[in-house]
């Protein structure tokens, strides 16, 4: 009963903080599952999450997947054909058709689609929701306890 009264007093800022914390926890759970479902070690490094508040419209954007996360505007130049990075992760996860060069028509092969993202998202859906709920509840209870001490 005391917790309910305290939660009623909690304002919008605290509720936003609790929800944001819960969403971050859920994203982390999904990211972990997607990485576990991806066999390629360099492709695993491209899987990340982003949580962002849009101040202008009061919206929140949350994403998890390949090539997601903070992007550095300047990345050091790399030699072509060195592996999977954030810039070309879509090739690995979405695959390519048979590709050939323009001038000579030399074959550059086919890249088959990898299902790590889809499988990881499907497997982790329920556990991510549970993590989100638990973390949100935990933050709300902590804030309610702070209010109770005042």
């Amino acid at each position: 009963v005391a917790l309910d009264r305290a939660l009623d007093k909690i304002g919008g800022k605290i509720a936003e903080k609790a929800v944001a914390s819960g969403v971050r926890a859920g994203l982390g759970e999904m990211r972990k599952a997607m990485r576990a479902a991806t066999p390629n070690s360099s492709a695993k490094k491209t899987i990340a999450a982003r949580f962002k508040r849009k101040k202008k419209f009061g919206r929140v954007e949350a994403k998890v997947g390949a090539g997601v996360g903070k992007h550095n505007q300047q990345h050091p130049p790399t030699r072509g054909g060195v592996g999977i990075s954030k810039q070309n992760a879509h090739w690995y996860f979405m695959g390519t058709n048979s590709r050939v060069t323009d001038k000579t028509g030399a074959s550059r092969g086919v890249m088959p689609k990898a299902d790590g993202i889809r499988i990881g998202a499907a497997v982790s859906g329920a556990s991510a929701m549970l993590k989100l709920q638990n973390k949100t509840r935990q933050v709300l209870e902590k804030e309610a306890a702070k209010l109770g001490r005042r």
Side-chain angles (χ1 to χ4, degrees), residues 7-19 53 140:
L7 287 175
D8 288 339
K9 290 181 182 178
I10 290 178
K13 282 283 187 192
I14 295 173
E16 280 181 25
K17 178 182 171 182
V19 170
R53 287 194 176 96
L140 283 174

Side-chain angles (χ1 to χ4, degrees), residues 32-94:
K32 197 165 60 173
M34 288 178 183
R35 283 183 177 175
T38 304
N40 185 311
S41 62
S42 61
K44 282 182 185 190
K45 293 175 189 171
T46 68
I47 298 173
R50 174 173 62 219
F51 181 84
K52 201 170 173 181
R53 287 194 176 96
K54 302 270 185 179
K55 291 183 181 178
K56 189 173 184 181
F57 303 110
R59 289 186 349 203
V60 171
E61 179 183 273
K63 291 182 182 181
V64 62
V68 173
K70 291 186 177 180
H71 290 283
N72 296 337
Q73 296 294 45
Q74 296 175 344
H75 52 277
T78 57
R79 212 169 41 82
V82 214
I84 304 296
S85 68
K86 281 192 177 201
Q87 286 76 29
N88 65 359
H90 59 284
W91 285 31
Y92 178 79
F93 290 105
M94 296 176 76

